[in-house]
C-alpha cells in the first residue's frame, strides 16, 4: 500500500502544480492582452497543461472511483454475479488502457521530432500524457480489483 499512497500523492501534487501554473499563465495572458501585448507561447503552454491535467486527473478519478458508472444493469444481477461482472468489466478496461498506453507511446515517440511553432518544444510531450495516464490507470484498476470491491460502491456512484 505504500507505493500506491506515494503514487497518489505524486499525482495529486502534479495536478495541483499543473492547475496552478495553468491559472497563472492564463491570467498573465489576459493581463498582457489588456495592454495590447500577447505573450508568445502562453497558448501552447496552457494547451499542454490542460492535456496533462485532464489525463492525470482521470487517473486520479479511477483511483478514487469517481469515474462515471451506469449501475442500472448491474443492479439487475444477483449479488453473487455482481462481483464476477465487476471483475470482467475491469479486465476489459485494463485491456483498453493497455492498448491506449501502447499506441499512445508509439504516437508520442513518433511526434518527438515535430516541434511546436512558438516554443519549439517537441509535440510528443503533449502526447506522452496518454501512456503515462494509461500506466497509472492500469495500476489503479489492478489495485482496485485486488482490493475490496463491494456492491456499495456501485450504489454510491450515481
Amino acid at each position: 500500500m505504500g507505493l500506491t499512497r506515494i503514487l497518489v500523492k505524486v499525482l495529486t501534487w502534479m495536478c495541483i502544480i499543473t492547475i496552478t501554473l495553468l491559472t497563472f499563465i492564463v491570467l498573465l495572458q489576459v493581463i498582457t492582452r489588456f495592454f495590447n501585448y500577447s505573450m508568445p507561447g502562453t497558448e501552447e503552454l496552457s494547451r499542454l497543461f490542460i492535456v496533462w491535467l485532464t489525463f492525470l486527473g482521470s487517473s486520479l478519478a479511477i483511483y478514487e472511483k469517481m469515474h462515471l458508472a451506469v449501475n442500472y444493469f448491474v443492479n439487475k444481477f444477483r449479488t453473487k454475479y455482481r462481483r464476477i461482472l465487476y471483475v470482467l468489466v475491469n479486465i476489459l478496461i485494463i485491456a483498453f488502457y493497455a492498448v491506449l498506453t501502447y499506441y499512445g507511446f508509439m504516437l508520442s515517440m513518433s511526434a518527438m521530432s515535430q516541434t511546436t511553432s512558438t516554443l519549439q518544444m517537441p509535440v510528443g510531450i503533449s502526447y506522452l500524457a496518454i501512456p503515462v495516464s494509461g500506466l497509472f490507470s492500469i495500476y489503479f484498476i489492478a489495485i482496485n480489483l485486488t482490493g475490496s470491491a463491494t456492491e456499495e460502491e456501485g450504489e454510491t456512484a450515481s
Side-chain angles (χ1 to χ4, degrees), residues 65 67 71 74 77-96 138 140-151 153-154:
K65 298 178 185 172
H67 53 307
N71 297 316
V74 174
F77 286 92
R78 284 189 267 155
T79 307
K80 74 176 194 175
Y81 294 119
R82 288 182 191 172
R83 175 70 180 160
I84 295 169
L85 186 62
Y86 175 81
V87 170
L88 288 175
V89 166
N90 280 294
I91 288 172
L92 286 173
I93 293 171
I94 287 174
F96 169 75
I138 289 170
F140 291 142
I141 293 168
I143 290 299
N144 288 340
L145 269 176
T146 59
S148 62
T150 61
E151 288 76 25
E153 67 193 24

Side-chain angles (χ1 to χ4, degrees), residues 4-16 52-67 97 132-134 136-138 140-141 144:
T4 304
R5 286 185 183 166
I6 291 170
L7 287 177
V8 168
K9 283 189 180 199
V10 167
L11 271 176
T12 303
W13 277 104
M14 287 173 70
C15 285
I16 290 170
W52 275 92
L53 184 63
T54 301
F55 279 96
L56 294 178
S58 70
S59 295
L60 275 177
I62 287 174
Y63 172 75
E64 295 288 337
K65 298 178 185 172
M66 293 174 56
H67 53 307
Y97 274 111
V132 168
S133 173
F136 280 124
S137 298
I138 289 170
F140 291 142
I141 293 168
N144 288 340

